[in-house]
Amino acid sequence: IVTPFPGDSVGNMSDPATTMSWANPMHGWALKTFGTFTDNFDNENGAVLYKTIDGGSTWSRNIFPKSVVTVNYSTADLHGTWQMHELVAANNTSYSSNTWAGWSHGTLTLDANGNGAFTGMTKSSDINDYPSSVSLSLTSNGILSVGGDTHGFMSTDKNTVYMTTTDGGGGYGLGVMQRVASGVTYTTSDLQGTWQIHQLVTANPASSNQYAGWIYGTIAIDSNGNGIASFIKPDGSKSQNIAVSISSDGTVLMNGTDFHGFMSADKKSICITMTDGGGYGYYLMAMQKVNPATSYATSDLQGKWQTH
């Protein structure tokens, strides 16, 4: 081998950690695990495969990350500003027939000790019962707690938290916290594309025509925020035209409704709350952008997942 591998300092090729295989004088491979020589790779516990088809004059490289990623968390990972969206279902047990149901959204700002406060919180009712301060903690394996029966989990990129809780009004809540990343700005063109949507609807106890259920489907949006939504519901299907807008800070709105969403910093997901047109139910919606270039296999499901 007279030509160094591209972009690396591999030192002496007699390094015993390097294994080579040649099918013939022109076609060969070198397989190397990370962490045993100086490199600039992001992952020090994977492997790299080099291939040559011209006897070592040129090489191509393929990086294989380690199959299990270890992520350690601390309460300091909560430091920052978070957008919150929550849906609350009423507790309809005989001893608690008038518990609150609805949605809420707003901002939570936390310090490195998990202490902070809510600002700009809005509920589907006129009730404003959010505490003036809050204290959260995060375990080393990503479990979030606030006290009581609140249970959450932080994503491995540390930008999203999903949680369940019992609301102060006695109802049951499903909430999403999305980190507000400094320096990220948004434009309407960020909405363009096809989105998969999943939505949960909880009934409005005050309505005589209560509706609860789920919805899933797709929304295709152009660069102006106009789109077509195709929904599947327990009682059938529906299509409708929509028009949404996004502000530079990532807030997603729909004119004439209480629709309120926030786009993630990677611009691949949106979390939304709203009331349906008839006031019969309250929605929590998750939108995930479809990347046509991404293919999936059942093996992608392998691993341990936290569910809420």
Side-chain angles (χ1 to χ4, degrees), residues 24-302:
N24 55 53
M26 301 302 291
H27 294 78
W29 295 265
L31 179 65
K32 183 77 188 230
T33 57
F34 294 171
T36 54
F37 64 91
T38 302
D39 54 48
N40 295 317
F41 297 127
D42 294 331
N43 188 337
E44 296 181 352
N45 296 292
V48 59
L49 177 70
Y50 302 92
K51 175 184 177 182
T52 181
I53 59 173
D54 56 13
S57 296
T58 59
W59 295 85
S60 61
R61 181 178 65 180
N62 192 6
I63 296 175
F64 299 89
K66 62 181 180 179
S67 60
V68 178
V69 178
T70 301
V71 179
N72 292 316
Y73 301 85
S74 71
T75 299
D77 292 324
L78 293 167
H79 187 202
T81 301
W82 300 81
Q83 279 280 344
M84 289 195 62
H85 290 82
E86 183 181 28
L87 184 69
V88 178
N91 177 353
N92 291 322
T93 59
S94 59
Y95 57 85
S96 183
S97 59
N98 296 309
T99 58
W100 185 77
W103 51 254
S104 63
H105 62 77
T107 302
L108 176 61
T109 303
L110 299 169
D111 63 20
N113 296 313
N115 301 316
F118 297 102
T119 56
M121 296 303 296
T122 301
K123 280 191 166 186
S124 51
S125 64
D126 294 330
I127 301 172
N128 184 6
D129 56 359
Y130 279 89
S132 58
S133 63
V134 65
S135 181
L136 284 68
S137 62
L138 196 68
T139 66
S140 61
N141 60 353
I143 301 299
L144 177 138
S145 63
V146 186
D149 58 7
T150 298
H151 184 285
F153 181 73
M154 179 178 281
S155 60
T156 56
D157 63 7
K158 301 185 178 181
N159 287 330
T160 309
V161 177
Y162 300 92
M163 68 178 70
T164 52
T165 187
T166 300
D167 178 75
Y172 303 119
L174 175 65
V176 183
M177 294 170 52
Q178 296 169 283
R179 186 185 297 277
V180 179
S182 61
V184 177
T185 57
Y186 303 82
T187 65
T188 304
S189 61
D190 293 324
L191 295 166
Q192 185 173 10
T194 299
W195 298 79
Q196 281 279 347
I197 62 168
H198 290 84
Q199 183 170 291
L200 182 66
V201 187
T202 186
N204 177 358
S207 171
S208 60
N209 295 304
Q210 297 178 13
Y211 176 78
W214 47 255
I215 295 172
Y216 71 87
T218 59
I219 300 178
I221 304 177
D222 64 20
S223 59
N224 296 314
N226 301 311
I228 299 176
S230 300
F231 301 130
I232 305 295
K233 306 197 299 180
D235 54 356
S237 60
K238 179 181 180 180
S239 295
Q240 69 181 65
N241 296 325
I242 65 167
V244 293
S245 62
I246 187 169
S247 63
S248 60
D249 66 358
T251 302
V252 183
L253 302 173
M254 181 185 296
N255 285 339
T257 70
D258 57 14
F259 181 109
H260 184 282
F262 181 75
M263 181 179 282
S264 60
D266 62 9
K267 302 182 179 182
K268 295 179 181 179
S269 64
I270 303 172
C271 188
I272 298 158
T273 53
M274 68 176 296
T275 307
D276 71 12
Y280 307 139
Y282 304 113
Y283 294 3
L284 178 67
M285 179 192 297
M287 295 176 55
Q288 297 169 288
K289 180 167 279 190
V290 177
N291 183 349
T294 302
S295 60
Y296 301 86
T298 303
S299 59
D300 294 325
L301 295 167
Q302 184 175 4

